[in-house]
Amino acid sequence: MQAHPQTSGTVILVSGRAHFFFKAWAASTICLNMSTPTPTPIVVDDDDSSHQGAVYNANCGKMSSKPTGRLKSIVWQHFERKEINGVQKAVCNYCKNRLVARSTDGTRHLRDHMKVCLLRRQKVITDRRQKDITQYATPLRTIKHDQGKTKSDAFCFDPNVTRKKIARMIIMHEYPLSVVEHEGFNDVLSSLQPLWKPVSRDEIKKEIMDIYEYERAKKASALDCNQSRIAITTKMWTVENQSVGYMAVTAHFIDDSWTLQSHLLRFIPVSTPHTAEVVCDTLLHCLMDHNIDRKLSALIVDNCSYNEPMIQYLLLKLRKDDLIMHGQLFHIRCFVNTLNLIVKDGLSVISDAIAKIRDSVSFWSESSKGMEKFEEIAHLLGITSDRKLVPDCAASWNSTYLMISTALQYKSVFSLLDQHEGQYGCLPSEKDWELAHILEEKLKSLYDVTQLFSNVKYPTSNLFFLHVYEIRLSLDDWLSSSFDEIKKLARSMIENFKKYWKDIHGILAVACVLDPRYKMKLIEYYFPMLFGGDFSFHVQRVHSLFKDLANEYQSKCQSSNVNSDLDSSSATLSEFCPYKKHAQFIMLGFQDFIKAKQVRSELDSYLGENVLPLTEDFDILGWWKANTSRYPTLSKIARDILAIPVSTVGSGSAFSTSGGFVSPHHRKLDPNTLEALMCSQSWLRGYLGDLESTSFSGYATFFDEENDHEEYQEVCGES
């Protein structure tokens, strides 16, 4: 660098490339600087200068290392200049490495470091991804500060994540797969994210199948790790005008943390006709595929005609030694389905009285004009009920109960309208209203119990015994009614109830005994009222069943440990007994004798202790978890028995006597996609295997795909 001879007293820094421009500028300003006694630093910097920050003093002609002025090189956007131990250092903003930063060192070495800094490269890549969407960034979270200010973080748009979210949305909320091709749907996404590119139905189907496979693997792992027995419920879904139906198979168990679990295993296509052999083979294949055919506790099915022989076929193909009591307690009828049949048959006895109320409700609810007049009169009479008149459904007895209950609230409205409306000629008589009032009271207890046992999170089986016996005793009270119609209804329901109770009461009684609030005391209290003078025989039968069950569990526990017992006993007895093999059997017999004594002591200790106080919020699973060490054998029984559900029916069709019905829209998907949607929805929603907990008609919106309909026809062999 050179200083103009006439610029005495001026400090000038000139880079080589700017030399020409500096000479012209210096000539025009030299006269101004002649009268300035104080040196003025002039900095002309170029990014390629190797002497950035150095200054030239025109008075002495020497370079000065003292940093002056502001650092203007672009490299200082990536470094921070600090004085460390009296030496100027440049600290990298990314990797925090320290480089020399004296005025005489220039910036070339800083530029070289920027080229090799890995952390800087990583940030550059991230910045490039964010460059096109910075102005459309969506806040993920808001951080509040003490000063009242807020700061929002921004996210990096990933189309893969968005596709997975859309697939979950379709599964969870039952949208059609073709929604991703709808113009309005893509317009909304494009307004939120301009970089969004529409996906096809096939692409979103692949995402759905990926979710299904991932969740299925998780459920399979949970079943493999589970150490308790598993109860199975099945329910058939039929499709109109097709040669195939679907079987929903659900597994119920209590896991190692004593939490009630229920997993939908399969939604399997089953060809028609649904014979016992076909249903048996389909179910057995599902059980073996999940490796749970040797871990079963019970099978709960509805009252379809093919289920009885199907279970007989299934028992022939399963190992009896792998089942509880060699399969004596394996078959359990769905209580809710049976109760629906009992109530439906009973209501047919008094159908004439119900028909008059149904006709009155239909007369005023069929037209909007009639409903307006009905509501106007109700308002004039001061009736403020929010319930509206709705005719009942023949296949759903709860709708009959709700129709009667609603009509009773508007009894005075019907009477007033009869006086002013000539065409209304089906007013129920006073006796009909009185009979309806009694019927409502009788059906309410059945309605509440059905709601309880068809809940999404079904209760443990220990609660079932108490409620079933309450229903049974209430039917006896109906026999003392002053109305012959109610007596006739009660006799019909009691007859059907006895048929059901004959097949189910053993396992339910054991579940009741496993409740430390009841034990055998509740059995001893209720049985005299049910069986009269013969009650002691039935009490003893329940006690013997519980004892046999405990002995069986203990014997299976011993057989699983026989190898370890043989090894330990042989090592001990071989030292003093010349007949080692004979001594092993002697020792095993002695161990069996001791363990049988321990089981009897455990059983007697449990039954001999006082029952716990009755509390509504009692956690029976938590109690057995805490007392596992005290009752090791009984806790295993409790873990298996308490997980057995008493119903295969979900809340969506709890009061219907018909099975699951697949809408005509459903058949437009191939069976694999249909199963993936149904199973994934149940898993993602976290319901306890309740396939019908969602809207029953909502599944129709899944299936509007013509291409899938063709695939489905190929699978089913349709022309």
Side-chain angles (χ1 to χ4, degrees), residues 162 166 180 184-196 198:
T162 304
I166 294 174
V180 297
F185 177 80
N186 287 292
D187 284 345
V188 171
L189 291 182
S190 297
S191 67
L192 297 173
Q193 176 51 259
L195 295 181
W196 166 253

Side-chain angles (χ1 to χ4, degrees), residues 25 29 47 53 65 73 82 155 208 253 300 444 466 480 511 543 607:
W25 173 84
T29 57
D47 288 344
S65 63
S73 175
K82 293 183 179 180
F155 82 108
I208 291 173
F253 60 94
I300 302 90
K444 187 179 187 308
L466 177 62
S480 60
H543 188 276
L607 296 178

Side-chain angles (χ1 to χ4, degrees), residues 159-213:
N160 295 325
V161 174
T162 304
R163 283 196 296 268
K164 293 183 185 299
K165 294 290 185 181
I166 294 174
R168 289 175 63 92
M169 176 193 72
I170 291 175
I171 293 171
M172 294 281 286
H173 303 292
E174 307 162 15
Y175 296 127
L177 272 65
S178 60
V179 70
V180 297
E181 298 175 347
H182 292 173
E183 181 180 355
F185 177 80
N186 287 292
D187 284 345
V188 171
L189 291 182
S190 297
S191 67
L192 297 173
Q193 176 51 259
L195 295 181
W196 166 253
K197 294 182 180 180
V199 297
S200 66
R201 184 179 55 208
D202 292 335
E203 289 177 304
I204 209 64
K205 185 191 296 186
K206 181 180 181 302
E207 296 290 348
I208 291 173
M209 297 305 297
D210 290 343
I211 293 174
Y212 167 70
E213 293 296 340

Side-chain angles (χ1 to χ4, degrees), residues 281-300:
D281 292 341
T282 303
L283 178 59
L284 182 62
H285 183 270
C286 174
L287 299 177
M288 297 181 69
D289 184 51
H290 288 82
N291 196 28
I292 58 175
D293 54 302
R294 303 185 65 178
K295 301 169 61 176
L296 302 176
S297 61
L299 176 62
I300 302 90

Side-chain angles (χ1 to χ4, degrees), residues 393-465:
C393 175
S396 182
W397 71 266
N398 77 307
S399 64
T400 303
Y401 163 75
L402 295 175
M403 180 190 69
I404 293 174
S405 178
T406 304
L408 286 170
Q409 297 181 12
Y410 295 105
K411 177 183 175 182
S412 59
V413 179
F414 287 108
S415 300
L416 185 58
L417 287 171
D418 182 61
Q419 300 175 11
H420 300 281
E421 180 61 48
Q423 296 182 356
Y424 174 48
C426 51
L427 178 68
S429 64
E430 195 62 32
K431 182 180 179 180
D432 293 334
W433 286 118
E434 189 175 353
L435 182 62
H437 180 71
I438 296 175
L439 185 61
E440 182 205 18
E441 293 180 347
K442 301 299 184 183
L443 292 180
K444 187 179 187 308
S445 59
L446 305 181
Y447 178 85
D448 293 340
V449 171
T450 305
Q451 287 276 46
L452 173 67
F453 288 102
S454 60
N455 195 9
V456 174
K457 293 187 176 181
Y458 65 88
T460 48
S461 56
N462 61 299
L463 301 178
F464 183 71
F465 184 89

